Amino acid sequence: MDRSTGSSTLLASEKRAAVASAGSTTEALSVNRALGAICRSDVVALVVEAMACITEQVFLFFFFLSLLLNILIAERIEKEGKGCVIVVNKWDTIPNKNQQTTAYYDQDVREKLRLLDWAPIVYSTAISGHSNNSKYSYLKEFQILICRILAAVGTVEKERSRRLGTSILNQVVQEALAFKPPPRTRGGKRGRVYYSTQAAVRPPTFVFFVNDAMIFPETYRRYMEKQLRKDAGFPGTPIRLLWRSRR
């Protein structure tokens, strides 16, 4: 564990997993080292404090500092194509929880970390063991927490390494095209997708061969990614869509 950065490297199923946390001033000063740990990892567990998910904060400075660091880390995770699990820490410290609390926090985390809207969320409780009588309970709670996080990391790594059959991929694409046809140019030329194929994994990368890539705006490309995730999965990993003109 690197105490100066709040990040560590774990070995899970022979895959590296960085645990990135952005909740203190010390970590803010050493953020470059935390970002470096992300680059060397396969899956990142981004730890956010439960109270930092609430909009109404007493210590606004530290709240926004934590939020900015989390966004910075999220940007690096997406840019590097790393898998991610969001860990909401100290969930048990939230008062007056009810059936809607988890849904509220899910939505709040998604809004604050929009680049990672594909990442699963794991809720963890605060672990404390200050007396000898609580050592066994502390170790048991810690073991359960680590197992939950590593189970999520393992699932994400499988998705990050998964290949989608070409026939299934093109079926998903054709259904998306039928539901929302590609746009036309001002001259009336409509975009056409000839076929698609998966070119790589870790992260999953898909190539779309089209008549003219310039016809497909960013909004349509995001739509296609959304439909691909909806019908084919890939939770916990960024995916890349490459558009190639075929003249």
Side-chain angles (χ1 to χ4, degrees):
M1 169 72 71
D2 189 334
R3 299 296 182 185
S4 64
T5 63
S7 64
S8 65
T9 301
L10 303 175
L11 291 178
S13 301
E14 300 182 351
K15 301 295 182 181
R16 288 173 296 176
V19 179
S21 175
S24 73
T25 304
T26 302
E27 290 155 3
L29 297 175
S30 305
V31 67
N32 286 335
R33 296 182 64 183
L35 296 178
I38 292 172
C39 295
R40 297 189 299 272
S41 303
D42 299 299
V43 179
V44 178
L46 176 57
V47 181
V48 298
E49 297 298 321
M51 290 302 294
C53 299
I54 301 178
T55 304
E56 296 79 19
Q57 288 288 309
V58 177
F59 303 103
L60 290 179
F61 171 77
F62 294 104
F63 164 67
F64 285 114
L65 176 63
S66 177
L67 178 60
L68 288 174
L69 290 177
N70 281 331
I71 292 174
L72 180 63
I73 290 174
E75 290 177 346
R76 179 58 63 90
I77 291 171
E78 203 283 332
K79 179 180 178 180
E80 297 293 333
K82 306 300 183 179
C84 182
V85 175
I86 299 173
V87 181
V88 179
N89 194 26
K90 300 180 181 179
W91 180 239
D92 56 324
T93 63
I94 301 301
N96 304 321
K97 291 193 291 291
N98 54 41
Q99 294 180 353
Q100 298 179 341
T101 305
T102 303
Y104 167 77
Y105 269 76
D106 279 353
Q107 181 180 357
D108 195 60
V109 170
R110 300 298 183 198
E111 289 178 355
K112 288 182 171 62
L113 300 174
R114 295 181 181 179
L115 284 175
L116 303 179
D117 61 356
W118 37 262
I121 300 176
V122 175
Y123 289 88
S124 69
T125 58
I127 299 176
S128 60
H130 301 294
S131 66
N132 292 331
N133 294 332
S134 63
K135 284 184 178 180
Y136 175 77
S137 176
Y138 168 80
L139 292 174
K140 187 174 181 180
E141 289 178 11
F142 183 75
Q143 183 181 32
I144 292 174
L145 173 59
I146 293 299
C147 288
R148 288 180 60 198
I149 294 175
L150 292 184
V153 166
T155 299
V156 167
E157 179 59 23
K158 288 180 180 179
E159 290 295 315
R160 189 166 173 261
S161 305
R162 183 162 65 93
R163 283 192 175 274
L164 191 63
T166 301
S167 60
I168 297 177
L169 170 61
N170 282 277
Q171 180 180 349
V172 171
V173 171
Q174 290 303 316
E175 291 177 355
L177 292 171
F179 184 79
K180 184 178 180 179
R184 295 178 182 270
T185 64
R186 291 183 178 181
K189 181 181 179 181
R190 181 181 292 280
R192 294 182 58 188
V193 178
Y194 297 118
Y195 68 96
S196 309
T197 186
Q198 184 172 355
V201 296
R202 308 179 71 226
T205 302
F206 304 91
V207 181
F208 287 71
F209 293 93
V210 301
N211 56 339
D212 188 348
M214 297 298 293
I215 298 178
F216 296 83
E218 186 62 28
T219 53
Y220 196 85
R221 298 184 184 200
R222 287 197 298 268
Y223 159 75
M224 188 62 70
E225 178 181 343
K226 182 178 180 180
Q227 292 301 115
L228 186 58
R229 287 189 179 279
K230 175 178 175 291
D231 295 333
F234 296 103
T237 179
I239 61 176
R240 303 283 189 251
L241 272 61
L242 307 178
W243 301 74
R244 297 286 184 260
S245 299
R246 181 182 175 186
R247 302 184 182 280

